[in-house]
Amino acid sequence: MRITIAFLLKKSKKREDRTYPVYVRFTFNGKRAELSTKLFVDQNSWDISKERMTGSSSLAKTTNNRLDKVASNILDIYNQFEAGNKKFDVVDIKNKLCGIEEEHGIVEMFGVYMNTIESNIGKGFSATTLKHYKTSKNRLLNFLSDVYGKKEWNLSNIGYKFINDFDVYLKSKYNNSVNTAWCYHKHMKKVLNIAVAMDYLSTNPYVKFQVKTEQPKREFLTQKELKRIRKKKIEIERLAIVRDIFLFACYTGLSYADISKLAKQHIRIGNDGKNGLL
C-alpha cells in the first residue's frame, strides 16, 4: 500500500493577520499523521483542489516549492523504510521527518542476541551458552534497577562511566572476582558488537574500557594421588561413576562439556585391537 500525502489549512489556528498554518497529512495502512509545515497562507490565496497557493508571485512560488520539498522528503523516508524490509507505520515516518531517531536499549539487544542463540541451539550454540547469557542479562537488569532506577538504558548513553559502574556493581553487590566479572563484560561486549553491526551504534564503548583478568591458580593432582582415587573402593554406584568420569577426564584431557556429549558411536576399535575414542 502506498502512502498518500495531502496539504490543508488548519482553520482552527487562524492568526491575527488572517492567515492559516499549512499542515501536511500523510496516510499509510489506514493510519494518518499530521505535521505543521511552518508555512502560513491567506485563505483566499489557497487552492483547495491543488493544495497549493494560487498566483505567480514570489511568495506563492517559494511556498509551493517548500511544500513540494516536504512531500518529497516524506516519500524519500517512506521509500527508505520500504527498502529496509522492516515493519513501520506513520509514527516512524513522522519521527524520521522530525529528526527523532528510534532509540534502542542494551536490554533489548540482549533479547535480540539471546533469540538468535535459542534459535540455533545445536547449530553452533548450546543451551549452556543461552543460560549464561540469561544470567548476564539478569545481572544487567539488577544493575539498572539498583543503580539507576531504570529497566532499560539507551545504547547511545552507554560510555566509560556506565561500564565502570557496572564493573563496580558486580564486584561489590555479588562479590564477583575479576575473572567472573570479565565473563559478564564479555557477554555485554558481544551484545554491543551486535548493536554496531545493526548500525544502532557507531563504535563499541568497550574500546575505551579495558577489562582485566587474572591468571587463576590451578592445583594439579600427582600420579600417586590419581592412583589412590582410582583404587578407592566406593560402595555407592552413582559416586563410583562420577569418580570414573573424573579419572577419564584427567587421563584424556577432555572437558566435562565434551565428555557429556560422548556416545557409543564414538567408540571404535583402534590399531592395537582395543576400544578407543573416535
Side-chain angles (χ1 to χ4, degrees), residues 178-244:
V178 171
N179 288 356
T180 300
W182 175 84
C183 291
Y184 294 124
H185 282 295
K186 179 180 70 172
H187 291 160
M188 189 152 76
K189 184 178 180 180
K190 174 64 177 180
V191 166
L192 288 171
N193 277 334
I194 300 297
V196 172
M198 296 176 72
D199 293 325
Y200 296 158
L201 278 175
S202 56
T203 57
N204 192 319
Y206 271 93
V207 297
K208 296 181 180 180
F209 188 91
Q210 183 178 2
V211 182
K212 298 179 180 179
T213 59
E214 294 178 344
Q215 186 66 33
K217 184 179 180 181
R218 299 183 183 275
E219 296 290 342
F220 297 94
L221 294 174
T222 64
Q223 287 290 341
K224 185 177 180 180
E225 289 170 330
L226 283 174
K227 185 177 180 180
R228 285 177 60 189
I229 295 173
R230 179 166 58 85
K231 290 185 173 295
K232 173 69 176 177
K233 187 175 182 180
I234 301 176
E235 301 292 341
I236 302 174
E237 183 180 6
R238 176 178 58 83
L239 294 181
I241 293 174
V242 171
R243 184 269 310 277
D244 292 344

Side-chain angles (χ1 to χ4, degrees), residues 58-274:
S58 59
L59 175 61
K61 290 180 180 179
T62 301
T63 300
N64 291 338
N65 285 337
R66 289 179 63 181
L67 293 177
D68 289 340
K69 187 173 182 179
V70 171
S72 177
N73 287 341
I74 293 173
L75 283 174
D76 286 344
I77 293 170
Y78 167 79
N79 289 329
Q80 289 172 23
F81 279 121
E82 276 282 289
N85 293 318
K86 284 179 60 179
K87 286 187 176 180
F88 66 96
D89 56 25
V90 290
V91 175
D92 297 310
I93 298 173
K94 181 178 178 179
N95 287 342
K96 185 79 171 179
L97 189 65
C98 295
I100 303 173
E101 295 293 336
E102 181 184 5
E103 278 283 8
H104 296 275
I106 181 62
V107 178
E108 173 196 351
M109 293 311 304
F110 257 95
V112 169
Y113 189 55
M114 286 165 59
N115 286 338
T116 299
I117 296 173
E118 190 170 15
S119 300
N120 290 279
I121 289 178
K123 304 172 186 175
F125 292 99
S126 68
T128 302
T129 301
L130 179 61
K131 179 182 177 182
H132 289 163
Y133 270 88
K134 284 181 178 178
T135 301
S136 294
K137 180 183 175 183
N138 288 334
R139 289 285 188 272
L140 174 63
L141 285 169
N142 292 339
F143 163 69
L144 291 175
S145 176
D146 293 346
V147 178
Y148 295 109
K150 303 283 186 179
K151 294 182 179 179
E152 179 63 283
W153 197 260
N154 290 340
L155 294 172
S156 59
N157 292 331
I158 296 179
Y160 182 93
K161 184 180 184 304
F162 180 89
I163 299 173
N164 188 66
D165 286 348
F166 182 54
D167 185 69
V168 171
Y169 178 81
L170 291 172
K171 294 170 183 175
S172 58
K173 175 75 174 183
Y174 296 100
N175 197 29
N176 287 153
S177 67
V178 171
N179 288 356
T180 300
W182 175 84
C183 291
Y184 294 124
H185 282 295
K186 179 180 70 172
H187 291 160
M188 189 152 76
K189 184 178 180 180
K190 174 64 177 180
V191 166
L192 288 171
N193 277 334
I194 300 297
V196 172
M198 296 176 72
D199 293 325
Y200 296 158
L201 278 175
S202 56
T203 57
N204 192 319
Y206 271 93
V207 297
K208 296 181 180 180
F209 188 91
Q210 183 178 2
V211 182
K212 298 179 180 179
T213 59
E214 294 178 344
Q215 186 66 33
K217 184 179 180 181
R218 299 183 183 275
E219 296 290 342
F220 297 94
L221 294 174
T222 64
Q223 287 290 341
K224 185 177 180 180
E225 289 170 330
L226 283 174
K227 185 177 180 180
R228 285 177 60 189
I229 295 173
R230 179 166 58 85
K231 290 185 173 295
K232 173 69 176 177
K233 187 175 182 180
I234 301 176
E235 301 292 341
I236 302 174
E237 183 180 6
R238 176 178 58 83
L239 294 181
I241 293 174
V242 171
R243 184 269 310 277
D244 292 344
I245 293 173
F246 173 75
L247 289 172
F248 182 77
C250 291
Y251 290 135
T252 62
L254 290 174
S255 66
Y256 172 79
D258 290 331
I259 293 175
S260 66
K261 298 174 184 176
L262 291 179
K264 288 184 178 180
Q265 60 265 29
H266 296 128
I267 306 298
R268 292 289 187 273
I269 302 297
N271 294 331
D272 58 359
K274 298 180 180 180

